[in-house]
């Protein structure tokens, strides 16, 4: 069970929906509005999982993921789950190439979110 989750999402409605969905699954999450906020958040405290929206202002999810992989935070390497609205052919590959561990298309469904969080927990405990 991943305890510390960071949700990186710039849209306030999507934030509310995702936080509600996480809560219904028994999780709490901190919020970041863009990739820069993600990078400063991981320096402040460790996160087990980052739900990282690919399209955000200032610094997008792909760039944030690349930076996290290039210079992992001192607090440890988080499991990064890409959130993307346009599940196009090639998106999954682009996310993997940027160093993301898993992938979730938007709009998110609670059942899919539960599956990727379970996978994250299993991967982290091995």
């Amino acid at each position: 069970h991943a305890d510390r989750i960071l949700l990186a999402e710039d849209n306030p409605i999507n934030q509310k929906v995702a936080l509600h969905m996480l809560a219904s699954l028994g999780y709490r999450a901190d919020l970041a509005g863009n990739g820069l906020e993600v990078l400063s958040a991981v320096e402040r405290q460790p996160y087990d999982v980052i739900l990282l929206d690919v399209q955000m202002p200032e610094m997008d999810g792909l760039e944030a993921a690349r930076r996290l992989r290039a210079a992992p935070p001192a607090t440890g390497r988080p499991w990064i789950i890409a959130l993307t609205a346009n599940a196009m052919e090639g998106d999954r590959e682009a996310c993997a190439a940027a160093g993301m561990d898993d992938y979730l298309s938007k709009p998110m469904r609670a059942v899919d979110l539960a599956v990727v969080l379970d996978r994250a927990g299993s991967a982290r405990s091995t």
Side-chain angles (χ1 to χ4, degrees):
H1 186 66
D3 324 351
R4 293 176 304 268
I5 298 176
L6 180 62
L7 170 66
E9 163 69 72
D10 62 307
N11 178 303
I13 292 163
N14 292 347
Q15 285 176 355
K16 281 197 185 81
V17 169
L19 288 174
H20 180 74
M21 217 176 272
L22 285 162
S24 73
L25 296 169
Y27 296 97
R28 282 189 27 251
D30 294 339
L31 279 176
N34 62 49
L36 294 171
E37 290 179 20
V38 168
L39 297 180
S40 62
V42 298
E43 290 308 320
R44 284 195 304 274
Q45 72 173 68
Y47 287 98
D48 299 313
V49 173
I50 301 177
L51 292 163
L52 190 53
D53 188 21
V54 171
Q55 296 182 308
M56 292 182 293
E58 292 181 63
M59 182 189 292
D60 68 18
L62 293 172
E63 178 60 22
R66 282 191 287 268
R67 294 202 190 182
L68 286 167
R69 291 300 177 244
T75 54
R77 180 189 185 281
W79 185 263
I80 301 177
I81 300 168
L83 302 177
T84 176
N86 35 355
M88 310 276 290
E89 203 50 55
D91 268 11
R92 191 179 291 262
E93 291 75 14
C95 292
M100 297 189 182
D101 300 293
D102 212 333
Y103 183 93
L104 198 55
S105 57
K106 294 175 14 179
M108 266 195 290
R109 293 178 20 227
V111 59
D112 299 328
L113 181 60
V115 168
V116 296
L117 290 173
D118 281 349
R119 269 203 301 259
S122 307
R124 293 183 58 80
S125 60
T126 56

